[in-house]
Amino acid sequence: MQSPLPVRDGVNATRLRLPDEGPWDTAMDYMMHRWGHIDPQGIEDRFDAGEIVGEGGVPLDRRTRLEDHTFIWYYRTLPPETRLPVELNILHQDDHILVVDKPHFLPTTPGGTYIQESALVRLRNQLNLPDLIPMHRLDRMTAGVLLLSTNPETRGNYQVLFEKRQVQKEYECVSAAEPAAGHPAVDFPVVVRNRMTKSRTYLLAEVIDGEPNAETRIELLKTYDAGAHASEPTRRGLYRLEPHSGKTHQLRVHMASLGLGIVNDAFYPDLLDKAPDDYTRPLQLLARGIRFVDPITREPVEYRSRLQLSEAPA
């Protein structure tokens, strides 16, 4: 559903669905029920100023009945954020798409404590592109090639490519050269297939029984003595990963399932205690490249990251 409010400071207005019925006479009564314990005066001021709107952008006031609107929109009050010490680099831009190198530690989209400090909001503000939308996502801890749509009129052409799995993605990661104790040796290249799930309430993705819905081809590119490159001197491997599905944390889970957890992964195979970001120890996972037949030009295109994993061989 199209928001009647424009993007402001790079951030979309928040949409709220009002209940069909309940012990509230007005839309403001319901908002007070939800958030009045946080900022009751702020809610009243917003209604008085006409900053909360319904369908068609109609401003609501204190007397607007609950049943008058199904959805309402408003701008959240955003807390101040400390700028993350990482930068985005533009790889390609045209009338339809933007391709960037997303750094480690920067989320793709706003969420939680990261609003202004997300790739999407930074780019909207930096390039004055309020209609910018990502075509896929990278985990906050994953760096590399990220494709975004700049043009709402052609956005659907690119969305179809992802829906039909006509976009080929290539990743690189650094892990141990040999599987951890208790895991069998691996004859590369190998294809890992299983069924993965991730609930909204549980932090980690899980492998469960059932028809596979996640598949990754994994190739060992080279082994090397990590030496000065490594956080812990050991024999390391540089791997190419080619996912044929896009489940949350898929690559991290699939590498860990082989006894080859990615270097500096705080989730897999073991969940470590929450700690402040250590910018000297990024997750050694990089979205190296993305390729597809451009639906506008009908020409094959490929975009490659210019970033390098800090613990990969030179």
Side-chain angles (χ1 to χ4, degrees), residues 10-26:
V11 182
N12 294 88
T14 296
R15 185 182 74 177
L16 174 68
R17 184 185 181 99
L18 297 178
D20 295 330
E21 57 184 17
W24 312 284
D25 294 326
T26 67

Side-chain angles (χ1 to χ4, degrees), residues 56-97:
V58 177
L60 279 61
D61 60 33
R62 297 188 185 208
R63 298 175 299 279
T64 301
R65 296 176 303 170
L66 184 71
E67 62 268 23
D68 285 355
H69 294 273
T70 302
F71 293 98
I72 61 176
W73 287 263
Y74 61 95
Y75 295 111
R76 288 181 291 170
T77 300
L78 303 178
E81 295 179 58
T82 301
R83 187 173 176 86
L84 299 177
V86 295
E87 299 299 331
L88 286 150
N89 292 303
I90 295 175
L91 300 174
H92 171 82
Q93 184 176 0
D94 60 33
D95 292 337
H96 307 284
I97 60 173

